[in-house]
Amino acid sequence: QVRLVESGGGSVQAGGSLRLSCAASGLTNWRNCMSWFRQAPGTEREWVAHRYTGVGTTYYADSVKGRFTISQDNAKNTVYLQMNSLKPEDTAMYYCAAALGYCSGGYRNFATYNYWGQGTQVTVSS
């Protein structure tokens, strides 16, 4: 059974940094479609960043491009989201999501993903 566990959230001031981790277990291989999403109260879940762990291809939402970096550690079965130059509008619950193999439904589409973590809260104050 696939399980995703996020960690690393917290409260920071604008301009600060955080690194989120998503530890994955139960995956049969490390060639999967993985993304970070976020959701602020009263808003829809928003795609943030994607990584296909097979070859390391990455994509970012325009709102975080140049500030966030998604990476992986194969030995630890972990995907990271390094968040720099944080802004108050980055405040949200951040979720890790995984789909086995390729992103058949498109990496931006939350319906593509079969597995989700419990979320980790990020709060950025001005």
Side-chain angles (χ1 to χ4, degrees):
Q1 182 175 352
V2 176
R3 185 170 180 235
L4 305 176
V5 179
E6 301 102 331
S7 60
S11 297
V12 295
Q13 290 191 325
S17 298
L18 286 172
R19 189 178 79 159
L20 306 184
S21 300
C22 172
S25 60
L27 296 171
T28 56
N29 61 63
W30 198 229
R31 296 186 296 275
N32 300 292
C33 170
M34 299 193 72
S35 280
W36 287 94
F37 286 76
R38 66 186 181 187
Q39 188 169 20
T43 69
E44 294 185 351
R45 193 164 295 192
E46 174 191 19
W47 169 75
V48 174
H50 164 73
R51 188 174 183 96
Y52 175 62
T53 58
V55 295
T57 309
T58 58
Y59 298 99
Y60 299 93
D62 288 343
S63 59
V64 307
K65 199 173 294 182
R67 300 188 297 122
F68 290 12
T69 302
I70 186 169
S71 62
Q72 67 191 74
D73 183 332
N74 291 356
K76 296 182 179 180
N77 280 1
T78 298
V79 171
Y80 302 98
L81 186 67
Q82 177 67 44
M83 306 185 296
N84 299 328
S85 302
L86 282 161
K87 304 175 181 180
E89 51 263 44
D90 295 318
T91 295
M93 185 73 80
Y94 283 70
Y95 298 91
C96 177
L100 302 183
Y102 294 103
C103 302
S104 59
Y107 58 82
R108 296 172 182 261
N109 183 2
F110 72 87
T112 292
Y113 299 89
N114 309 104
Y115 305 101
W116 292 84
Q118 81 287 354
T120 186
Q121 178 68 37
V122 172
T123 303
V124 185
S125 57
S126 58

